[in-house]
Amino acid sequence: MPLETLNRIILDPAYADYLAILKGARNGLVYGAKVRFPHALVMAILFGKGSWKNRIKSILRATKTHALNLAKFVTIYKTLLLLQRKANRGKARKADTFIAGLIGGYIVFGERNAINEQIVLYIISRVVASFIPRDVPASAHPYPERDAVKPLPPNARIFSFFAAVAWGAVMYLFKEKGETIQPGLFNSMTYIYNDSNYWEDLRTLIWHNK
């Protein structure tokens, strides 16, 4: 098929909704790989056990899982949005996004594993943080339709209290109810707060942790 014909099909509004699903899957795949690979690499260096061959396998497996799950979620989410809009005679409703996210989240991220747990905890922390009042009302910032929403910084004073409560709570949980802490966070906190209480010589005080 000539490139000109292909580009004409790609730019045809009749196919826009379907191609948006394809590109969404592509972007989810790429973003998941970009985010997970460096994170998995750092965690393997800091906390990994076993041979480097096994660590590399673990890094690639985590990257693959994260990337594919985001691609799957975007595909399901955008497909459900399209189906709901078609069922409602071409009109989108506010609840459509919640329903699509709800179903997609259950199908893709409902299985409990280390990667899904980290992603869900990341998302829920952002959801909770969204309730912090913003410094400037959103209505004071009119944008063109393409950029209909722009993130606004949280109110500085309220954020200070939010940060204090969050850190007070997590330090209490780490000390008194460590079994409830997410494994990645627990390992990080153990390295910073517990391992720093022990050393045998100058080397393990400054250069090496153990």
Side-chain angles (χ1 to χ4, degrees), residues 12-25 75 78-79 82-83 85-86:
D12 189 336
Y15 303 108
D17 289 334
Y18 307 102
L19 293 175
I21 296 172
L22 175 64
K23 186 170 182 181
T75 301
K78 282 182 167 286
T79 300
L82 178 58
L83 292 175
R85 192 167 72 248
K86 285 184 175 295

Side-chain angles (χ1 to χ4, degrees), residues 107-170:
I107 293 173
V108 179
F109 297 108
E111 177 188 354
R112 192 209 164 275
N113 57 53
I115 303 300
N116 283 353
E117 186 176 343
Q118 290 171 2
I119 294 173
V120 170
L121 289 177
Y122 175 87
I123 293 299
I124 199 168
S125 68
R126 270 55 184 177
V127 172
V128 172
S130 73
F131 290 100
I132 302 175
R134 305 292 109 176
D135 257 338
V136 183
S139 58
H141 288 264
Y143 293 99
E145 185 176 349
R146 182 179 175 83
D147 304 306
V149 176
K150 290 288 186 181
L152 296 170
N155 177 274
R157 181 175 177 79
I158 296 178
F159 180 80
S160 297
F161 288 109
F162 182 81
V165 171
W167 276 100
V170 77

Side-chain angles (χ1 to χ4, degrees), residues 9-179:
I9 294 173
I10 288 173
L11 295 176
D12 189 336
Y15 303 108
D17 289 334
Y18 307 102
L19 293 175
I21 296 172
L22 175 64
K23 186 170 182 181
R26 177 264 179 202
N27 285 5
L29 193 71
V30 171
Y31 183 82
K34 283 184 176 181
V35 169
R36 177 55 57 174
F37 181 80
H39 176 269
L41 179 62
V42 170
M43 296 303 287
I45 293 173
L46 291 178
F47 306 114
K49 297 179 181 179
S51 67
W52 270 105
K53 181 179 180 180
N54 288 334
R55 293 191 198 188
I56 291 172
K57 286 182 179 179
S58 176
I59 292 169
L60 295 178
R61 185 167 55 249
T63 301
K64 177 183 176 182
T65 299
H66 194 142
L68 286 177
N69 279 6
L70 279 183
K72 290 175 187 175
F73 178 81
V74 176
T75 301
I76 293 171
Y77 175 77
K78 282 182 167 286
T79 300
L80 289 175
L81 284 182
L82 178 58
L83 292 175
Q84 289 179 98
R85 192 167 72 248
K86 285 184 175 295
N88 197 40
R89 299 178 182 178
K91 295 180 180 179
R93 299 164 299 185
K94 288 185 177 180
D96 289 352
T97 53
F98 178 77
I99 294 171
L102 188 77
I103 296 173
Y106 180 81
I107 293 173
V108 179
F109 297 108
E111 177 188 354
R112 192 209 164 275
N113 57 53
I115 303 300
N116 283 353
E117 186 176 343
Q118 290 171 2
I119 294 173
V120 170
L121 289 177
Y122 175 87
I123 293 299
I124 199 168
S125 68
R126 270 55 184 177
V127 172
V128 172
S130 73
F131 290 100
I132 302 175
R134 305 292 109 176
D135 257 338
V136 183
S139 58
H141 288 264
Y143 293 99
E145 185 176 349
R146 182 179 175 83
D147 304 306
V149 176
K150 290 288 186 181
L152 296 170
N155 177 274
R157 181 175 177 79
I158 296 178
F159 180 80
S160 297
F161 288 109
F162 182 81
V165 171
W167 276 100
V170 77
M171 298 312 298
Y172 171 81
L173 290 172
F174 176 66
K175 179 68 175 177
E176 304 297 335
K177 297 181 178 293
E179 70 277 5

Side-chain angles (χ1 to χ4, degrees), residues 186-205:
F186 184 85
N187 289 337
S188 299
M189 296 182 75
T190 297
Y191 181 83
I192 296 170
Y193 302 108
N194 285 0
D195 290 357
S196 57
N197 293 329
Y198 304 97
W199 59 89
E200 297 177 354
D201 49 29
L202 181 62
R203 185 181 70 89
T204 54
L205 176 65

